[in-house]
Each structure stands twice: as structure tokens, then as C-alpha cells.
Coordinates of all heavy atoms in Angstrom, one line a residue:
M1 N 19.6 13.4 -15.1 CA 18.5 14.1 -15.8 C 18.9 14.4 -17.2 O 18.1 14.2 -18.1 CB 18.2 15.4 -15.0 CG 17.3 15.1 -13.8 SD 16.6 16.7 -13.2 CE 18.1 17.5 -12.5
G2 N 20.1 14.9 -17.4 CA 20.5 15.2 -18.8 C 20.5 14.0 -19.7 O 20.1 14.2 -20.9
A3 N 20.9 12.9 -19.2 CA 20.9 11.7 -20.1 C 19.6 11.3 -20.6 O 19.4 10.9 -21.8 CB 21.5 10.5 -19.3
M4 N 18.5 11.5 -19.8 CA 17.2 11.1 -20.3 C 16.7 12.0 -21.4 O 16.0 11.6 -22.3 CB 16.2 11.2 -19.1 CG 16.4 10.2 -18.0 SD 16.3 8.5 -18.7 CE 14.6 8.3 -18.9
A5 N 17.1 13.3 -21.3 CA 16.7 14.3 -22.3 C 17.2 13.9 -23.7 O 16.5 14.4 -24.7 CB 17.2 15.7 -21.9
V6 N 18.3 13.2 -23.8 CA 18.8 12.9 -25.2 C 18.4 11.5 -25.6 O 19.0 10.9 -26.5 CB 20.3 13.0 -25.2 CG1 20.7 14.5 -25.0 CG2 21.0 12.1 -24.3
E7 N 17.4 10.9 -25.0 CA 16.9 9.6 -25.4 C 16.5 9.6 -26.9 O 15.8 10.5 -27.3 CB 15.7 9.1 -24.6 CG 16.2 8.2 -23.4 CD 15.3 7.1 -23.1 OE1 15.3 6.1 -23.8 OE2 14.4 7.3 -22.2
R8 N 17.0 8.6 -27.6 CA 16.7 8.6 -29.0 C 15.3 8.2 -29.4 O 14.6 7.5 -28.7 CB 17.6 7.5 -29.7 CG 19.1 7.8 -29.4 CD 20.0 6.7 -30.0 NE 19.7 5.4 -29.5 CZ 20.3 4.3 -29.9 NH1 21.2 4.4 -30.9 NH2 20.1 3.2 -29.3
E9 N 14.8 8.8 -30.5 CA 13.5 8.5 -31.0 C 13.7 7.1 -31.8 O 14.7 6.9 -32.5 CB 13.1 9.6 -31.9 CG 12.7 10.8 -31.2 CD 11.3 11.3 -31.6 OE1 10.4 10.5 -31.2 OE2 11.2 12.3 -32.2
L10 N 12.6 6.3 -31.6 CA 12.7 5.0 -32.3 C 11.6 4.8 -33.3 O 10.5 5.5 -33.2 CB 12.6 3.9 -31.2 CG 13.6 3.9 -30.1 CD1 13.3 2.7 -29.1 CD2 15.0 3.8 -30.6
E11 N 11.8 3.9 -34.2 CA 10.8 3.5 -35.2 C 10.7 2.0 -35.2 O 11.6 1.3 -34.8 CB 11.1 4.1 -36.6 CG 12.3 3.4 -37.2 CD 12.6 4.0 -38.6 OE1 12.1 5.0 -39.0 OE2 13.4 3.3 -39.3
V12 N 9.5 1.5 -35.6 CA 9.3 0.1 -35.6 C 8.6 -0.4 -36.8 O 7.8 0.3 -37.4 CB 8.5 -0.4 -34.3 CG1 7.1 0.2 -34.3 CG2 8.4 -1.9 -34.2
S13 N 9.0 -1.6 -37.3 CA 8.3 -2.2 -38.5 C 8.3 -3.7 -38.3 O 9.0 -4.2 -37.4 CB 9.1 -1.9 -39.8 OG 10.4 -2.4 -39.8
I14 N 7.4 -4.4 -39.0 CA 7.3 -5.8 -39.0 C 7.6 -6.4 -40.3 O 7.1 -5.9 -41.3 CB 5.9 -6.2 -38.5 CG1 5.6 -5.8 -37.1 CG2 5.7 -7.8 -38.6 CD1 4.2 -6.0 -36.6
D15 N 8.3 -7.5 -40.4 CA 8.5 -8.2 -41.6 C 7.4 -9.3 -41.6 O 7.6 -10.4 -41.0 CB 9.9 -8.9 -41.7 CG 10.1 -9.8 -42.9 OD1 9.2 -9.8 -43.8 OD2 11.1 -10.5 -42.9
Q16 N 6.3 -9.0 -42.3 CA 5.2 -9.9 -42.3 C 5.5 -11.3 -42.9 O 4.9 -12.3 -42.5 CB 4.0 -9.3 -43.1 CG 3.2 -8.3 -42.3 CD 3.9 -7.0 -42.2 OE1 4.7 -6.6 -43.0 NE2 3.5 -6.2 -41.1
D17 N 6.6 -11.4 -43.7 CA 6.9 -12.7 -44.3 C 7.4 -13.7 -43.2 O 7.3 -14.9 -43.4 CB 8.1 -12.6 -45.3 CG 7.6 -11.9 -46.6 OD1 6.4 -11.9 -46.8 OD2 8.5 -11.5 -47.4
A18 N 7.8 -13.2 -42.1 CA 8.3 -14.0 -41.0 C 7.4 -14.1 -39.8 O 7.6 -14.8 -38.9 CB 9.7 -13.6 -40.5
C19 N 6.3 -13.4 -39.9 CA 5.3 -13.3 -38.8 C 4.6 -14.6 -38.6 O 4.1 -15.2 -39.6 CB 4.3 -12.2 -39.0 SG 3.0 -12.1 -37.8
T20 N 4.5 -15.2 -37.4 CA 3.8 -16.4 -37.2 C 2.4 -16.3 -36.8 O 1.6 -17.2 -36.7 CB 4.5 -17.2 -36.0 OG1 4.2 -16.5 -34.8 CG2 6.0 -17.3 -36.2
G21 N 2.0 -15.0 -36.5 CA 0.6 -14.8 -36.2 C 0.2 -15.2 -34.8 O -1.0 -15.3 -34.5
D22 N 1.1 -15.3 -33.9 CA 0.8 -15.7 -32.6 C 0.2 -14.6 -31.7 O -0.5 -14.9 -30.7 CB 2.1 -16.2 -31.9 CG 3.1 -15.1 -31.8 OD1 3.9 -14.9 -32.8 OD2 3.1 -14.3 -30.9
G23 N 0.4 -13.4 -32.1 CA -0.2 -12.3 -31.4 C 0.5 -11.7 -30.2 O -0.1 -10.9 -29.5
L24 N 1.7 -12.2 -29.9 CA 2.4 -11.7 -28.7 C 2.5 -10.2 -28.7 O 2.3 -9.5 -27.7 CB 3.7 -12.4 -28.6 CG 4.5 -12.1 -27.3 CD1 5.2 -13.4 -26.9 CD2 5.6 -11.1 -27.6
C25 N 2.9 -9.7 -29.9 CA 3.1 -8.2 -30.0 C 1.8 -7.4 -29.7 O 1.9 -6.3 -29.1 CB 3.7 -7.9 -31.4 SG 2.6 -8.4 -32.7
V26 N 0.7 -8.0 -30.2 CA -0.6 -7.3 -30.0 C -0.9 -7.2 -28.5 O -1.5 -6.3 -28.0 CB -1.7 -8.0 -30.8 CG1 -3.0 -7.3 -30.6 CG2 -1.3 -8.1 -32.3
Q27 N -0.5 -8.3 -27.8 CA -0.7 -8.3 -26.3 C 0.2 -7.3 -25.6 O -0.3 -6.6 -24.7 CB -0.4 -9.7 -25.7 CG -1.4 -10.7 -26.0 CD -1.1 -12.0 -25.3 OE1 0.0 -12.6 -25.5 NE2 -2.0 -12.5 -24.5
Y28 N 1.4 -7.1 -26.1 CA 2.3 -6.2 -25.5 C 2.0 -4.7 -25.8 O 2.1 -3.9 -24.9 CB 3.8 -6.4 -26.1 CG 4.6 -7.4 -25.4 CD1 4.1 -8.7 -25.2 CD2 5.9 -7.2 -24.9 CE1 4.9 -9.7 -24.5 CE2 6.6 -8.1 -24.3 CZ 6.1 -9.4 -24.1 OH 6.9 -10.3 -23.5
A29 N 1.6 -4.4 -27.0 CA 1.3 -3.0 -27.4 C 0.2 -2.9 -28.4 O 0.4 -2.7 -29.6 CB 2.6 -2.5 -27.9
P30 N -1.1 -3.1 -27.9 CA -2.2 -3.0 -28.8 C -2.4 -1.6 -29.5 O -3.1 -1.5 -30.5 CB -3.4 -3.4 -27.9 CG -2.9 -3.2 -26.5 CD -1.5 -3.4 -26.5
D31 N -1.7 -0.6 -28.9 CA -1.8 0.7 -29.6 C -1.0 0.8 -30.8 O -1.2 1.7 -31.6 CB -1.4 1.8 -28.6 CG -2.5 2.1 -27.5 OD1 -3.6 1.5 -27.7 OD2 -2.2 2.8 -26.6
V32 N 0.0 -0.1 -31.0 CA 0.9 -0.1 -32.1 C 0.8 -1.3 -33.0 O 0.9 -1.2 -34.2 CB 2.4 0.1 -31.6 CG1 3.3 -0.1 -32.8 CG2 2.6 1.4 -31.0
F33 N 0.5 -2.5 -32.5 CA 0.4 -3.7 -33.3 C -1.0 -4.2 -33.3 O -1.7 -4.2 -32.3 CB 1.3 -4.8 -32.6 CG 2.7 -4.4 -32.5 CD1 3.3 -4.4 -31.2 CD2 3.5 -4.1 -33.6 CE1 4.7 -4.1 -31.1 CE2 4.9 -3.8 -33.5 CZ 5.4 -3.7 -32.2
E34 N -1.4 -4.6 -34.5 CA -2.8 -5.2 -34.7 C -2.7 -6.2 -35.8 O -2.0 -6.1 -36.8 CB -3.8 -4.1 -35.0 CG -5.2 -4.5 -34.9 CD -6.1 -3.3 -35.2 OE1 -6.0 -2.3 -34.5 OE2 -7.0 -3.4 -36.1
F35 N -3.6 -7.2 -35.7 CA -3.8 -8.1 -36.8 C -4.6 -7.5 -38.0 O -5.6 -6.9 -37.7 CB -4.5 -9.4 -36.4 CG -3.7 -10.3 -35.5 CD1 -4.1 -10.7 -34.3 CD2 -2.5 -10.8 -36.0 CE1 -3.4 -11.6 -33.5 CE2 -1.7 -11.6 -35.2 CZ -2.2 -12.1 -34.0
D36 N -4.2 -7.8 -39.2 CA -5.1 -7.6 -40.3 C -5.9 -8.9 -40.6 O -5.7 -9.9 -40.0 CB -4.2 -7.1 -41.5 CG -5.1 -6.5 -42.6 OD1 -6.3 -6.1 -42.3 OD2 -4.7 -6.3 -43.8
I37 N -6.8 -8.8 -41.6 CA -7.6 -10.0 -41.9 C -6.8 -11.2 -42.4 O -7.3 -12.3 -42.4 CB -8.7 -9.7 -42.8 CG1 -8.2 -9.0 -44.1 CG2 -9.8 -8.9 -42.2 CD1 -9.2 -8.9 -45.2
D38 N -5.5 -10.9 -42.8 CA -4.7 -12.0 -43.2 C -4.1 -12.8 -42.0 O -3.3 -13.8 -42.2 CB -3.6 -11.5 -44.1 CG -2.7 -10.5 -43.5 OD1 -2.8 -10.2 -42.3 OD2 -1.8 -10.0 -44.2
G39 N -4.4 -12.4 -40.8 CA -3.9 -13.1 -39.6 C -2.5 -12.7 -39.2 O -1.9 -13.4 -38.4
L40 N -1.9 -11.7 -39.9 CA -0.5 -11.3 -39.6 C -0.6 -9.9 -38.9 O -1.5 -9.2 -39.0 CB 0.3 -11.2 -40.9 CG 0.4 -12.5 -41.7 CD1 1.1 -12.2 -43.0 CD2 1.0 -13.6 -40.9
A41 N 0.5 -9.6 -38.2 CA 0.5 -8.4 -37.4 C 1.1 -7.2 -38.3 O 2.0 -7.5 -39.1 CB 1.4 -8.6 -36.2
Y42 N 0.5 -6.1 -38.1 CA 0.9 -4.8 -38.8 C 1.0 -3.7 -37.8 O 0.5 -3.8 -36.6 CB -0.1 -4.5 -39.9 CG -0.1 -5.4 -41.0 CD1 -0.7 -6.6 -41.0 CD2 0.6 -5.1 -42.2 CE1 -0.7 -7.5 -42.0 CE2 0.6 -6.0 -43.3 CZ 0.0 -7.2 -43.2 OH 0.0 -8.1 -44.2
V43 N 1.7 -2.6 -38.2 CA 1.8 -1.5 -37.2 C 0.7 -0.5 -37.5 O 0.2 -0.3 -38.6 CB 3.2 -0.8 -37.3 CG1 4.3 -1.8 -36.8 CG2 3.5 -0.4 -38.7
K44 N 0.4 0.3 -36.5 CA -0.6 1.4 -36.6 C 0.1 2.7 -36.4 O 1.1 2.9 -35.6 CB -1.6 1.2 -35.5 CG -2.5 0.0 -35.7 CD -3.8 0.1 -34.8 CE -3.5 -0.4 -33.4 NZ -4.8 -0.6 -32.7
D45 N -0.4 3.7 -37.1 CA 0.1 5.1 -37.0 C -0.5 5.8 -35.7 O -1.3 5.2 -35.0 CB -0.1 5.9 -38.2 CG -1.5 6.2 -38.5 OD1 -2.4 6.1 -37.6 OD2 -1.8 6.6 -39.7
T46 N -0.1 7.0 -35.5 CA -0.5 7.7 -34.3 C -2.0 7.9 -34.2 O -2.5 8.2 -33.1 CB 0.3 9.0 -34.1 OG1 0.2 9.7 -35.3 CG2 1.7 8.8 -33.7
E47 N -2.6 7.9 -35.4 CA -4.1 8.1 -35.4 C -4.8 6.7 -35.2 O -6.0 6.7 -35.2 CB -4.6 8.6 -36.7 CG -4.8 10.1 -36.7 CD -3.6 10.9 -36.9 OE1 -3.0 10.8 -38.1 OE2 -3.1 11.6 -36.0
G48 N -4.0 5.7 -35.0 CA -4.6 4.3 -34.8 C -5.0 3.6 -36.1 O -5.7 2.6 -36.1
E49 N -4.5 4.2 -37.2 CA -4.8 3.5 -38.5 C -3.8 2.4 -38.8 O -2.6 2.6 -38.7 CB -4.8 4.6 -39.6 CG -5.1 3.9 -41.0 CD -5.5 5.0 -42.0 OE1 -5.8 6.1 -41.7 OE2 -5.6 4.6 -43.2
L50 N -4.4 1.3 -39.2 CA -3.5 0.1 -39.5 C -2.9 0.3 -40.8 O -3.5 0.6 -41.8 CB -4.4 -1.2 -39.4 CG -3.6 -2.5 -39.4 CD1 -2.7 -2.6 -38.1 CD2 -4.6 -3.6 -39.5
L51 N -1.5 0.2 -40.9 CA -0.8 0.4 -42.1 C -0.6 -1.0 -42.7 O 0.3 -1.8 -42.3 CB 0.5 1.1 -41.8 CG 0.4 2.4 -41.1 CD1 1.8 3.0 -40.9 CD2 -0.5 3.4 -41.9
T52 N -1.4 -1.3 -43.7 CA -1.4 -2.7 -44.2 C -0.4 -3.0 -45.4 O -0.4 -4.0 -46.0 CB -2.8 -3.1 -44.7 OG1 -3.3 -2.1 -45.6 CG2 -3.8 -3.1 -43.5
T53 N 0.4 -2.0 -45.6 CA 1.5 -2.2 -46.6 C 2.6 -3.0 -45.8 O 3.0 -2.5 -44.7 CB 2.1 -0.9 -47.1 OG1 1.0 -0.2 -47.8 CG2 3.2 -1.2 -48.1
A54 N 3.1 -4.1 -46.3 CA 4.1 -4.9 -45.6 C 5.3 -4.0 -45.4 O 5.8 -3.3 -46.2 CB 4.5 -6.1 -46.4
G55 N 5.9 -4.2 -44.1 CA 7.1 -3.5 -43.8 C 6.9 -2.0 -43.4 O 7.9 -1.3 -43.3
S56 N 5.7 -1.5 -43.3 CA 5.5 -0.1 -43.0 C 6.1 0.2 -41.6 O 6.2 -0.6 -40.7 CB 4.0 0.2 -42.8 OG 3.4 0.1 -44.1
Q57 N 6.7 1.4 -41.5 CA 7.3 1.9 -40.3 C 6.5 3.0 -39.6 O 6.0 3.8 -40.3 CB 8.7 2.4 -40.6 CG 9.6 1.3 -41.2 CD 11.0 1.8 -41.4 OE1 11.2 3.0 -41.5 NE2 11.9 0.9 -41.6
V58 N 6.5 3.0 -38.3 CA 5.9 4.0 -37.5 C 6.9 4.5 -36.4 O 7.7 3.7 -35.9 CB 4.6 3.7 -36.9 CG1 3.5 3.5 -38.0 CG2 4.7 2.4 -36.0
R59 N 6.7 5.7 -36.0 CA 7.5 6.2 -34.8 C 7.0 5.5 -33.6 O 5.8 5.4 -33.4 CB 7.4 7.7 -34.8 CG 8.4 8.4 -34.0 CD 8.2 9.9 -34.0 NE 7.0 10.3 -33.3 CZ 6.9 10.4 -31.9 NH1 7.9 10.1 -31.2 NH2 5.8 10.7 -31.4
V60 N 7.8 5.2 -32.7 CA 7.4 4.6 -31.4 C 7.1 5.7 -30.4 O 7.9 6.5 -30.1 CB 8.6 3.7 -30.8 CG1 8.2 3.2 -29.4 CG2 8.9 2.6 -31.8
P61 N 5.8 5.7 -29.9 CA 5.5 6.7 -28.9 C 6.3 6.5 -27.6 O 6.6 5.3 -27.2 CB 4.0 6.4 -28.6 CG 3.5 5.6 -29.8 CD 4.7 4.9 -30.3
E62 N 6.8 7.6 -27.0 CA 7.7 7.5 -25.9 C 7.1 6.6 -24.8 O 7.9 5.7 -24.3 CB 7.8 9.0 -25.3 CG 8.8 9.1 -24.2 CD 10.2 8.9 -24.6 OE1 10.6 9.3 -25.7 OE2 10.9 8.3 -23.8
R63 N 5.9 6.7 -24.5 CA 5.3 5.9 -23.4 C 5.3 4.4 -23.7 O 5.0 3.6 -22.8 CB 3.9 6.4 -23.0 CG 2.9 6.2 -24.1 CD 1.6 6.8 -23.9 NE 0.7 6.7 -25.1 CZ 0.0 5.7 -25.4 NH1 -0.1 4.7 -24.6 NH2 -0.7 5.6 -26.5
L64 N 5.4 4.0 -25.0 CA 5.3 2.6 -25.3 C 6.7 2.0 -25.7 O 6.8 0.9 -26.1 CB 4.4 2.5 -26.6 CG 2.9 2.9 -26.3 CD1 2.1 2.7 -27.6 CD2 2.3 2.0 -25.2
R65 N 7.8 2.8 -25.5 CA 9.1 2.3 -25.8 C 9.4 0.9 -25.3 O 9.8 0.1 -26.0 CB 10.1 3.3 -25.2 CG 10.6 4.3 -26.1 CD 11.6 5.2 -25.2 NE 13.0 4.8 -25.5 CZ 13.7 5.4 -26.4 NH1 13.3 6.4 -27.1 NH2 15.0 5.0 -26.6
L66 N 9.2 0.8 -24.0 CA 9.6 -0.5 -23.3 C 8.7 -1.6 -23.8 O 9.3 -2.7 -24.1 CB 9.4 -0.3 -21.8 CG 10.1 -1.4 -21.0 CD1 11.6 -1.5 -21.2 CD2 9.8 -1.1 -19.5
D67 N 7.4 -1.4 -24.0 CA 6.6 -2.5 -24.6 C 7.0 -2.9 -25.9 O 7.0 -4.1 -26.3 CB 5.1 -2.0 -24.6 CG 4.5 -1.7 -23.2 OD1 5.0 -2.3 -22.3 OD2 3.7 -0.8 -23.1
I68 N 7.4 -1.9 -26.8 CA 7.8 -2.2 -28.1 C 9.1 -3.0 -28.2 O 9.3 -4.0 -28.9 CB 7.9 -0.9 -29.0 CG1 6.6 -0.2 -29.0 CG2 8.4 -1.2 -30.4 CD1 5.5 -0.8 -29.7
V69 N 10.1 -2.6 -27.3 CA 11.4 -3.2 -27.3 C 11.2 -4.6 -26.7 O 11.8 -5.6 -27.3 CB 12.3 -2.4 -26.4 CG1 13.6 -3.2 -26.0 CG2 12.8 -1.1 -27.1
N70 N 10.4 -4.8 -25.7 CA 10.1 -6.2 -25.2 C 9.4 -7.1 -26.2 O 9.8 -8.2 -26.3 CB 9.2 -6.1 -23.9 CG 10.0 -5.6 -22.7 OD1 11.2 -5.6 -22.7 ND2 9.3 -5.0 -21.7
A71 N 8.5 -6.5 -27.0 CA 7.8 -7.3 -28.0 C 8.9 -7.7 -29.1 O 8.9 -8.9 -29.5 CB 6.8 -6.4 -28.7
A72 N 9.8 -6.9 -29.4 CA 10.8 -7.2 -30.4 C 11.7 -8.3 -29.9 O 12.1 -9.3 -30.6 CB 11.7 -6.0 -30.8
H73 N 12.1 -8.2 -28.6 CA 12.9 -9.3 -28.0 C 12.2 -10.6 -28.0 O 12.8 -11.7 -28.2 CB 13.2 -8.9 -26.5 CG 14.3 -7.9 -26.4 ND1 14.4 -7.1 -25.3 CD2 15.3 -7.5 -27.2 CE1 15.4 -6.2 -25.4 NE2 15.9 -6.5 -26.6
D74 N 10.9 -10.6 -27.7 CA 10.2 -11.9 -27.5 C 9.4 -12.4 -28.7 O 8.9 -13.5 -28.7 CB 9.2 -11.7 -26.3 CG 9.9 -11.4 -25.0 OD1 11.1 -11.6 -24.9 OD2 9.2 -11.0 -24.1
C75 N 9.4 -11.6 -29.8 CA 8.7 -12.0 -31.0 C 9.2 -13.4 -31.5 O 10.3 -13.5 -31.8 CB 8.9 -11.0 -32.1 SG 8.4 -11.4 -33.7
P76 N 8.3 -14.4 -31.6 CA 8.7 -15.7 -32.0 C 9.2 -15.8 -33.5 O 10.0 -16.6 -33.8 CB 7.5 -16.6 -31.9 CG 6.6 -15.8 -30.9 CD 6.9 -14.4 -31.2
G77 N 8.7 -14.9 -34.3 CA 9.1 -14.8 -35.7 C 10.4 -14.0 -35.9 O 11.0 -14.0 -37.0
E78 N 10.9 -13.4 -34.8 CA 12.1 -12.5 -34.9 C 11.9 -11.6 -36.1 O 12.8 -11.5 -36.9 CB 13.4 -13.4 -35.0 CG 13.6 -14.2 -33.8 CD 14.9 -14.9 -33.8 OE1 15.7 -14.8 -34.8 OE2 15.2 -15.6 -32.8
C79 N 10.8 -10.9 -36.1 CA 10.5 -10.1 -37.3 C 10.0 -8.7 -36.9 O 9.4 -8.0 -37.8 CB 9.4 -10.8 -38.2 SG 7.9 -11.2 -37.3
I80 N 10.2 -8.3 -35.7 CA 9.9 -6.9 -35.3 C 11.2 -6.1 -35.2 O 12.1 -6.5 -34.4 CB 9.2 -6.8 -33.9 CG1 7.9 -7.6 -34.0 CG2 9.0 -5.4 -33.5 CD1 7.1 -7.6 -32.6
Y81 N 11.3 -5.1 -36.0 CA 12.6 -4.4 -36.2 C 12.4 -3.0 -35.5 O 11.6 -2.2 -35.9 CB 12.9 -4.1 -37.6 CG 13.3 -5.4 -38.4 CD1 12.3 -6.3 -38.8 CD2 14.6 -5.7 -38.6 CE1 12.6 -7.5 -39.4 CE2 15.0 -6.8 -39.3 CZ 14.0 -7.7 -39.7 OH 14.3 -8.9 -40.4
V82 N 13.1 -2.8 -34.4 CA 13.1 -1.5 -33.8 C 14.5 -0.8 -34.1 O 15.5 -1.3 -33.9 CB 13.0 -1.6 -32.2 CG1 13.0 -0.2 -31.6 CG2 11.7 -2.4 -31.9
R83 N 14.3 0.4 -34.7 CA 15.5 1.2 -35.1 C 15.5 2.6 -34.6 O 14.5 3.1 -34.3 CB 15.6 1.2 -36.7 CG 15.7 -0.1 -37.3 CD 15.9 0.1 -38.8 NE 15.9 -1.2 -39.6 CZ 14.8 -1.7 -40.1 NH1 13.7 -1.1 -40.0 NH2 14.9 -2.9 -40.7
D84 N 16.7 3.1 -34.5 CA 16.9 4.5 -34.2 C 16.3 5.3 -35.4 O 16.6 5.1 -36.5 CB 18.4 4.9 -34.0 CG 18.6 6.3 -33.7 OD1 18.6 7.1 -34.6 OD2 18.8 6.6 -32.5
L85 N 15.4 6.3 -35.1 CA 14.7 7.0 -36.1 C 15.7 7.8 -37.0 O 15.5 7.8 -38.2 CB 13.7 8.0 -35.5 CG 12.7 8.7 -36.4 CD1 11.7 7.7 -36.9 CD2 12.0 9.8 -35.6
A86 N 16.7 8.4 -36.4 CA 17.6 9.2 -37.2 C 18.7 8.4 -37.9 O 18.8 8.6 -39.2 CB 18.3 10.2 -36.3
S87 N 19.3 7.5 -37.3 CA 20.4 6.7 -37.9 C 20.0 5.4 -38.5 O 20.8 4.8 -39.3 CB 21.5 6.5 -36.8 OG 21.0 5.5 -35.9
K88 N 18.8 4.9 -38.2 CA 18.3 3.6 -38.7 C 19.1 2.4 -38.1 O 19.0 1.3 -38.6 CB 18.4 3.5 -40.3 CG 17.7 4.7 -41.0 CD 16.2 4.7 -40.6 CE 15.5 5.9 -41.3 NZ 14.2 6.2 -40.7
E89 N 19.9 2.7 -37.1 CA 20.7 1.7 -36.4 C 19.7 0.8 -35.7 O 18.8 1.2 -35.0 CB 21.7 2.4 -35.5 CG 22.4 1.5 -34.5 CD 23.0 2.4 -33.4 OE1 23.4 3.6 -33.8 OE2 23.2 1.9 -32.3
P90 N 19.9 -0.6 -35.8 CA 19.0 -1.5 -35.0 C 19.2 -1.3 -33.5 O 20.3 -1.2 -33.0 CB 19.5 -2.9 -35.4 CG 20.3 -2.7 -36.7 CD 20.9 -1.3 -36.6
V91 N 18.0 -1.3 -32.8 CA 18.0 -1.1 -31.4 C 17.5 -2.3 -30.7 O 18.0 -2.7 -29.6 CB 17.1 0.2 -31.0 CG1 17.0 0.3 -29.5 CG2 17.8 1.4 -31.5
A92 N 16.5 -3.0 -31.3 CA 16.0 -4.2 -30.7 C 15.4 -5.1 -31.9 O 15.0 -4.5 -32.9 CB 14.9 -4.0 -29.7
G93 N 15.4 -6.4 -31.7 CA 15.0 -7.3 -32.8 C 16.2 -7.6 -33.7 O 17.3 -7.4 -33.3
P94 N 15.9 -8.2 -34.9 CA 17.0 -8.7 -35.7 C 18.1 -7.6 -36.0 O 17.7 -6.5 -36.3 CB 16.3 -9.1 -37.0 CG 14.9 -9.4 -36.6 CD 14.6 -8.4 -35.5
G95 N 19.3 -8.0 -35.9 CA 20.4 -7.0 -36.2 C 20.9 -6.2 -35.0 O 22.0 -5.6 -35.0
A96 N 20.1 -6.2 -33.9 CA 20.5 -5.5 -32.7 C 21.4 -6.5 -31.9 O 21.2 -7.7 -31.9 CB 19.3 -5.1 -31.8
D97 N 22.4 -5.9 -31.2 CA 23.3 -6.8 -30.5 C 22.9 -7.1 -29.0 O 23.5 -6.6 -28.1 CB 24.8 -6.3 -30.5 CG 24.8 -4.8 -30.4 OD1 24.7 -4.2 -29.3 OD2 25.0 -4.2 -31.5
D98 N 21.7 -7.8 -28.9 CA 21.3 -8.2 -27.6 C 20.9 -9.7 -27.6 O 20.7 -10.3 -28.6 CB 20.1 -7.3 -27.1 CG 19.0 -7.3 -28.1 OD1 19.0 -8.1 -29.1 OD2 18.1 -6.4 -27.9
Ligands
SF4_101 S1 5.0 -11.3 -32.1 FE1 6.1 -11.3 -34.0 S2 5.5 -13.3 -34.9 FE2 4.1 -12.8 -33.3 S3 2.3 -11.8 -34.3 FE3 3.7 -10.2 -33.6 S4 5.1 -9.8 -35.3 FE4 4.1 -11.7 -35.7

């Protein structure tokens, strides 16, 4: 029980320069990932607003942790970066040791 209580908060961003536009992330977590009119995926904030500045970061909602981590693992462009919110250490996606 104690171990779960100290689960780290995560943040996620996309490197649009490497995004292939396949939409896998949008299927995994439509509450966080969405296409802009340029056909590339971007992240949404907690109000559901799409952040169309390239590389924008948002906090990962607790209930979507697994979906976001899975999206980062499977992203064909290898361009979804999941990091520890506090330390910025890579947790999934490029730079993470998995
Ligand atoms: S899964 Fe990766 S490459 Fe595919 S649309 Fe999402 S961010 Fe882009």
C-alpha cells in the first residue's frame, strides 16, 4: 500500500518533427492526444484544450498513466516523451531504458 502512495507524477510531450501522423496515440488516449489540422499529434491540457505549440508538455492524469506509457512504447515515430514531473527523468519513450 505504501509503495503506491509514492507513485511519481508524470508529464508527456510530443516531438512533432518526428510524428508520422499514424494516430496510434490518439487511439490509446484520446483525452490527452489529438490531431491538429496539420495532421500531427499534439497534447491536450486538463481542460481538453489542444496545445498547438510544438513540444508542449502536460501532466499525465493518474487514470491515464498506463495508456500514455503504452502509447510512448508503441509510437512509430518514437516521439512521445514521458518524464518524471519533478526530476524530468525519462520514464517511457526516447531516453528511457526499456
Ligand atoms: S503515435 Fe507517435 S507518431 Fe503516431 S501520431 Fe502519435 S505521436 Fe505521432
